[in-house]
Amino acid sequence: MPIFSITLVPQWLGLKGVVVNISIGQIAESVFILPGYPFIAGVISRIIGLKTLGRQWYEEKFIPKISPITLIALLFTILVMFSLKGEYIVQCLSTLCV
């Protein structure tokens, strides 16, 4: 779906200068890296936590302690993503407005 909305929709709307040349491989890589690593880490921590320490400990001790850390990590990831690409985003938006 992202490749469709990035490459075809702008052409249909008459925004030919907005069309982005991006491969399906680049999209797959981004999707795997950004949400993929945390998802895999979560699955591994759940499997290990439930098998070694038990469901009660995992749900009553581990989850309440790790939840604030996961929220902070998510916000940090979003902050880093936009700070690294901020100049590019502003440049693209200024090109559209002119």
Side-chain angles (χ1 to χ4, degrees):
M1 186 66 172
I3 194 84
F4 174 76
S5 61
I6 292 174
T7 58
L8 296 177
V9 173
Q11 289 178 348
W12 294 343
L13 297 174
L15 303 169
K16 295 191 190 294
V18 181
V19 176
V20 177
N21 292 324
I22 189 167
S23 71
I24 196 76
Q26 291 170 321
I27 292 174
E29 181 182 349
S30 295
V31 167
F32 180 73
I33 289 172
L34 296 175
Y37 287 154
F39 176 75
I40 291 170
V43 169
I44 290 170
S45 71
R46 179 168 177 84
I47 291 169
I48 292 172
L50 289 175
K51 288 191 183 232
T52 60
L53 301 166
R55 179 178 290 275
Q56 183 177 359
W57 180 87
Y58 183 79
E59 291 178 355
E60 292 177 8
K61 302 283 184 184
F62 182 72
I63 295 294
K65 289 199 187 256
I66 198 79
S67 292
I69 297 169
T70 59
L71 179 60
I72 292 168
L74 175 64
L75 293 173
F76 177 74
T77 303
I78 293 169
L79 179 73
V80 168
M81 284 177 11
F82 282 103
S83 66
L84 291 175
K85 294 294 181 182
E87 184 178 332
Y88 178 73
I89 293 169
V90 170
Q91 180 184 11
C92 288
L93 290 176
S94 66
T95 306
L96 279 175
C97 296
V98 174

